Amino acid sequence: MSSASSGAAHWLASADLDARGDAVIDELTGLFNRKALARRFPDIRAQAAVSDAHLSLLLCDVDRFKTVNDTWGHDRGDQVLRDLATRIREVLRTSDLVFRFGGEEIAILLPGHGLQHAVLTAERLRSSIGTSPLAGLHITLSVGVASARGDAVDLSDLLSRADRALYSAKATGRDRVCSAGAISGTITAGAGARGR
């Protein structure tokens, strides 16, 4: 191989690695990834502060996803995640932002939605997942919800409160929505919660 060809191959390989490092789309699901959330949030926060608007965060987790992979294989698990991404897009508004946060965990930002509306949206999403199969399998979803308004919008705070609410949803039976109180951090179960 000539030195020119070798140099071009090295440049292409480096460019590919740089592009992957800059990528903000999850290859499996087509959703935004965690890096995209970190990059986009400052603008979203600034907009909420300027307009004194609500912003809610849903943190969703596929229940017993390890069992799906262990029983049906990782290819089937991947198809569940692709179908989940499609279903989420069908349920939400086009202005809502959906991120694959990690593994089978999805973070959803709902600009302009306060806690009560966010819980209803989460319940609608949970119900849609639980009543119609994904990749031919009955799948359920647990969701933690947190909300803030205006200057109080902070990503780490929203994530922390939504994560605690999600943990509560998992600990109290899965296939349910739990919300974190806007100020007190108290956890309440959504109206459609069912023990499983």
Side-chain angles (χ1 to χ4, degrees):
M1 181 184 288
S2 73
S3 62
S5 295
S6 175
H10 176 73
W11 180 84
L12 286 172
S14 295
D16 183 51
L17 286 175
D18 289 343
R20 288 182 193 180
D22 290 339
V24 293
I25 300 294
D26 175 64
E27 290 181 17
L28 177 66
T29 62
L31 299 174
F32 290 120
N33 62 21
R34 193 174 187 147
K35 183 180 284 189
L37 175 59
R39 286 185 181 177
R40 296 190 73 169
F41 197 83
D43 290 336
I44 294 165
R45 182 187 188 287
Q47 185 175 3
V50 166
S51 58
D52 194 34
H54 289 279
L55 177 68
S56 292
L57 173 75
L58 311 183
L59 201 54
C60 312
D61 190 78
V62 177
D63 295 326
R64 298 183 173 94
F65 188 71
K66 183 179 184 306
T67 303
V68 171
N69 282 332
D70 291 348
T71 303
W72 301 100
H74 289 276
D75 288 345
R76 191 75 167 274
D78 287 351
Q79 189 58 53
V80 166
L81 295 176
R82 284 190 289 269
D83 288 358
L84 174 65
T86 300
R87 184 74 54 80
I88 289 171
R89 287 187 198 106
E90 291 169 355
V91 170
L92 298 179
R93 306 171 300 174
T94 55
S95 59
D96 299 329
L97 300 167
V98 186
F99 305 85
R100 184 175 180 199
F101 199 63
E104 70 278 9
E105 210 167 60
I106 306 291
I108 303 170
L109 291 177
L110 305 175
H113 281 196
L115 187 62
Q116 184 177 3
H117 195 182
V119 167
L120 292 174
T121 299
E123 233 354 282
R124 199 170 70 245
L125 178 60
R126 183 202 61 78
S127 178
S128 175
I129 300 303
T131 57
S132 183
L134 298 178
L137 301 173
H138 176 70
I139 300 295
T140 61
L141 196 68
S142 295
V143 186
V145 184
S147 187
R149 182 176 178 180
D151 289 334
V153 170
D154 176 80
L155 182 57
S156 61
D157 174 63
L158 284 170
L159 284 170
S160 175
R161 290 190 293 118
D163 188 56
R164 286 196 309 270
L166 175 60
Y167 179 83
S168 182
K170 293 285 193 179
T172 56
R174 299 181 179 88
D175 188 21
R176 61 183 58 225
V177 173
C178 288
S179 62
I183 296 173
S184 65
T186 56
I187 306 297
T188 56
R194 299 183 307 222
R196 288 196 48 161

